[in-house]
């Protein structure tokens, strides 16, 4: 997923209001959420609040491992298409109503309903009949059944081994079957470890500990989310002692490593930073030209000078930590002579001219200029086109950009979330495949990897897929970033999550 907001950052303010010292947590978003309604969750802030207030059938822990949530267990039939989920007993919504299988079914139908405009229902599309229902061509969802109040049966149109992970995404969160009057996204009712208290737009969101939560209750009483867009303000608040955790800006890495070395936590992000190469445009259709772009780019120098070394060079699209990542495969070396030779062999002895599109994100400015300078040494003339995020994405989505500097965050921690959307030909353009790569052998491997029930076969296929992607060079392969956070010593029970929905803040507590 392309992120348009920075990750949520947990912080502790010096002022705890009327709450007991140490029992109120404060953290912030860089932008106001779109909605607190799971069916309308399309951005990181919305998804993070949904994770606090609601439960799903499954969930991710802080390390990205899949765990049971409302479903205490589930099983898959021999054909690999029908999942039977067994709900845990005694779960209640924040208003006291019991949660049953009817609520799960109603939540899925609501998230997929044509009247629910602007949501991201695709995680539920694998259910048989779900996509037709969402399109308004079917009256119901044929693959959704509730035999009794504690059982949910979901039959898929075809095998998909990552399906339980899709059910941990915000859109699949469970809401009451009968919603209260008014805008549910402004006054949400869930069953999660935190209860909604208030939302002052562009100012703050307040949630409180749910004492009746079916699982382990939150360790703190109140969690207040402030909206603080400016990175410099965030950093200043931390350094003055008014915030307990802050994400370190890439451009400030060296200073923070010097001034706050003992306070820093690192975690490799399940994220890829890359330049998508449009394989349908002119000379870029030739794999030799695409490989030349990679040889011409001194990625190691860019990583050190532009990003403060906060990243791992990758020889493929998969970041470290995912099954299928191959640490033994060497990245493209910086070899300008090799790049020029490939261009000559492809019929371009005098080089080529390209446009590199980028969004107006600050950290992309220096990086785009550095890439421009690197490619120029090999005779590749690059014009940088800077536009606002929506315009730049639209250009790449519709195939109007030669090169597009962008990144991809994992919606769920799995190689499939990179391989299928980014490289399967069915997802060219709007589906995520901004390189418009179309390779029949790659398509077959990706499909097989999605459907096989054999985990060992799947890992092997994921490695083969990544190796073929690397050889086809639909990207200038840059790096997988490393998250760097500063944490005051008085905050306990908090870790950088592997996936953005993996930290529910239930163990976070302050002692000072």
């Amino acid at each position: 997923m392309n992120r348009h907001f920075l990750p949520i950052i947990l912080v502790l303010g010096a002022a705890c209001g009327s709450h007991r010292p140490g029992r109120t947590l404060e953290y912030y978003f860089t932008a106001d959420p779109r909605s607190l309604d799971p069916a309308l969750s399309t951005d990181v802030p919305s998804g993070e609040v949904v994770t606090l207030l609601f439960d799903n059938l499954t969930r991710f822990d802080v390390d990205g491992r899949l765990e049971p949530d409302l479903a205490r267990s589930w099983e898959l039939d021999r054909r690999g298409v029908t999942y039977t989920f067994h709900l845990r007993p005694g779960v209640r919504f924040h208003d006291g109503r019991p949660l049953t299988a009817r609520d799960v079914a109603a939540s899925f139908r609501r998230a997929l309903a044509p009247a629910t405009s602007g949501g991201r229902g695709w995680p539920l599309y694998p259910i048989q009949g779900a996509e037709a229902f969402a399109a308004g061509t079917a009256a119901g969802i044929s693959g959704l059944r509730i035999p009794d109040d504690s059982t949910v049966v979901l039959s898929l149109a075809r095998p998909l081994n990552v399906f339980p992970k899709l059910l941990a995404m915000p859109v699949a969160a469970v809401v009451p079957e009968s919603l209260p009057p008014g805008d549910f996204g402004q006054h949400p009712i869930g069953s999660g470890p935190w209860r909604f208290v208030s939302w002052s737009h562009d100012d703050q969101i307040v949630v409180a500990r749910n004492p009746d939560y079916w699982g382990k209750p939150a360790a703190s009483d109140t969690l207040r989310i402030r909206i603080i867009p400016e990175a410099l303000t965030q950093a200043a608040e931390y350094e003055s002692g008014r915030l307990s955790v802050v994400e370190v800006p890439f451009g400030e890495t060296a200073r923070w490593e010097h001034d706050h070395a003992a306070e820093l936590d690192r975690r490799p992000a399940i994220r890829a930073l890359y330049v998508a190469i449009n394989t349908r445009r002119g000379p870029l259709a030739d794999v030799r030209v695409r490989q030349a772009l990679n040889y011409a780019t001194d990625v190691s120098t860019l990583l050190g000078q532009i990003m403060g070394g906060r990243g791992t060079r990758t020889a493929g699209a998969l970041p470290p930590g995912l099954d299928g990542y191959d640490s033994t495969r060497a990245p493209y070396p910086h070899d300008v002579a090799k790049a020029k030779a490939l261009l000559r062999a492809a019929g371009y002895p005098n080089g080529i001219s390209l446009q590199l599109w980028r969004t107006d994100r600050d950290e992309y400015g220096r990086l785009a200029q550095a890439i421009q300078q690197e490619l120029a040494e090999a005779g590749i003339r690059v014009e940088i086109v800077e536009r606002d995020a929506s315009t730049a994405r639209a250009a790449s989505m519709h195939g109007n950009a030669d090169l597009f500097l962008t990144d991809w965050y994992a919606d769920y921690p799995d190689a499939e979330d990179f391989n299928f959307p980014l490289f399967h030909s069915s997802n060219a353009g709007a589906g995520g495949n901004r390189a418009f790569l179309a390779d029949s052998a790659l398509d077959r491997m990706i499909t097989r990897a999605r459907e096989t029930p054999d985990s060992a076969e799947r890992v092997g296929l994921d490695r083969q897929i990544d190796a073929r992607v690397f050889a086809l060079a639909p990207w200038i392969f840059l790096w997988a970033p490393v998250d760097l956070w500063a944490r005051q010593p008085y905050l306990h029970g908090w870790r950088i999550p592997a996936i953005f929905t993996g930290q529910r803040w239930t163990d976070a507590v302050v002692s000072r």
Side-chain angles (χ1 to χ4, degrees):
M1 172 192 287
N2 293 110
R3 300 290 186 229
H4 317 318
F5 302 102
L6 294 178
I8 293 175
I9 302 168
L10 178 66
V11 298
L12 175 78
C16 294
S18 60
H19 301 286
R20 288 174 288 164
R23 304 298 290 180
T24 296
L25 300 166
E26 297 193 15
Y27 69 102
Y28 65 86
F29 300 148
T30 60
D32 214 29
R34 176 195 175 192
S35 173
L36 305 187
D37 185 339
L40 300 177
S41 175
T42 58
D43 55 76
V44 171
S46 295
E48 287 281 357
V49 182
V50 165
T51 300
L52 301 174
L53 300 176
F54 296 88
D55 292 316
N56 292 47
L57 291 178
T58 61
R59 71 182 178 203
F60 296 116
D61 70 6
V62 71
D63 294 314
R65 294 183 294 257
L66 190 70
E67 294 184 331
D69 197 14
L70 290 176
R72 55 183 172 82
S73 64
W74 61 88
E75 58 264 1
L76 178 62
D77 73 346
R78 292 183 178 180
R79 297 182 302 136
V81 295
T82 299
Y83 289 84
T84 301
F85 294 89
H86 305 283
L87 303 186
R88 62 181 73 248
V91 178
R92 291 184 176 273
F93 289 107
H94 298 152
D95 61 1
R97 282 181 285 175
L99 188 153
T100 72
R102 292 175 58 88
D103 298 296
V104 178
S107 298
F108 289 3
R109 284 193 294 266
R110 179 174 176 269
L112 289 166
T116 306
S117 59
R120 299 177 69 238
W122 64 263
L124 300 174
Y125 283 179
I127 303 172
Q128 185 176 351
E131 199 163 0
F133 177 75
T137 59
I141 305 171
S142 57
L144 171 60
R145 295 187 295 111
I146 47 172
D148 54 56
D149 281 349
S150 61
T151 308
V152 178
V153 179
L154 301 174
S155 296
L156 310 186
R158 59 190 304 169
L160 179 61
N161 45 38
V162 298
F163 181 66
K165 294 184 178 182
L166 300 185
L167 295 178
M169 293 182 62
V171 72
V174 178
V175 306
E177 179 182 17
S178 177
L179 299 183
D183 187 343
F184 187 72
Q186 303 299 314
H187 303 281
I189 297 172
S191 60
W194 300 93
R195 294 181 175 186
F196 175 77
V197 176
S198 64
W199 182 8
S200 301
H201 285 277
D202 296 312
D203 181 21
Q204 66 176 13
I205 298 168
V206 178
V207 298
R209 174 179 176 269
N210 176 16
D212 301 319
Y213 182 55
W214 57 266
K216 181 182 178 182
S220 298
D221 292 339
T222 306
L223 188 152
R224 184 164 66 112
I225 308 167
R226 297 163 56 200
I227 311 302
I228 308 176
E230 300 83 10
L232 291 178
T233 303
Q234 299 159 10
E237 289 289 286
Y238 176 88
E239 292 192 296
S240 63
R242 288 187 290 271
L243 305 181
S244 70
V245 176
V246 67
E247 186 172 21
V248 177
F250 282 98
E252 293 285 304
T253 300
R255 183 179 73 82
W256 283 74
E257 287 180 335
H258 180 270
D259 296 346
H260 302 278
E263 303 163 18
L264 300 182
D265 289 339
R266 290 173 173 81
R267 180 163 209 153
I270 307 179
R271 174 184 167 204
L273 184 69
Y274 62 98
V275 177
I277 304 172
N278 190 333
T279 61
R280 291 182 181 176
R281 288 179 70 87
L284 300 177
D286 192 318
V287 66
R288 293 169 294 185
V289 174
R290 303 196 299 269
Q291 290 174 343
L293 294 174
N294 278 279
Y295 282 112
T297 307
D298 187 353
V299 177
S300 294
T301 297
L302 297 181
L303 177 58
Q305 294 183 351
I306 307 297
M307 308 299 280
R310 279 172 55 185
T312 302
R313 285 204 62 187
T314 53
L318 297 183
L322 292 182
D323 288 339
Y325 171 76
D326 187 352
S327 62
T328 66
R329 190 185 310 124
Y332 285 98
H334 182 225
D335 190 335
V336 175
K338 176 72 170 178
K340 290 180 176 179
L342 284 167
L343 289 174
R344 286 195 301 270
Y348 303 100
N350 299 318
I352 57 176
S353 298
L354 302 170
Q355 286 187 333
L356 169 60
W357 285 65
R358 76 171 186 89
T359 65
D360 52 5
R361 284 169 57 174
D362 290 340
E363 64 266 33
Y364 284 176
R366 289 181 61 203
L367 182 55
Q369 291 175 356
I371 292 172
Q372 179 188 48
Q373 294 168 4
E374 296 283 344
L375 296 180
E377 293 185 18
I380 302 168
R381 298 169 293 277
V382 172
E383 174 192 359
I384 297 174
V385 181
E386 178 187 344
R387 295 290 187 272
D388 63 87
S390 61
T391 301
R393 286 193 300 271
S396 70
M397 184 188 309
H398 296 117
N400 297 326
D402 297 322
L403 309 174
F404 181 48
L405 174 59
T406 188
D407 59 4
W408 184 264
Y409 283 78
D411 285 302
Y412 45 96
D414 198 284
E416 191 270 351
D417 192 39
F418 288 78
N419 294 336
F420 180 64
L422 298 177
F423 303 113
H424 196 280
S425 61
S426 66
N427 288 315
N433 181 355
R434 302 300 173 88
F436 292 85
L437 185 64
D439 181 80
S440 57
L442 192 62
D443 282 355
R444 288 193 295 271
M445 285 192 289
I446 291 172
T447 299
R448 178 59 187 164
R450 300 180 86 214
E451 295 183 354
T452 179
D454 188 318
S455 58
E457 179 189 14
R458 186 177 168 215
V459 172
L461 283 166
D462 287 335
R463 285 199 174 203
Q464 293 175 42
I465 291 165
D466 204 39
R468 186 162 183 81
V469 166
F470 182 64
L472 291 171
W475 295 357
I476 298 176
F477 299 98
L478 297 178
W479 51 78
V482 172
D483 290 333
L484 180 65
W485 299 56
R487 175 173 53 86
Q488 303 279 13
Y490 50 72
L491 178 70
H492 305 282
W494 175 87
R495 292 170 56 206
I496 302 171
I499 199 77
F500 78 107
T501 55
Q503 176 60 275
R504 303 183 92 182
W505 320 114
T506 52
D507 293 329
V509 67
V510 171
S511 60
R512 62 172 180 173

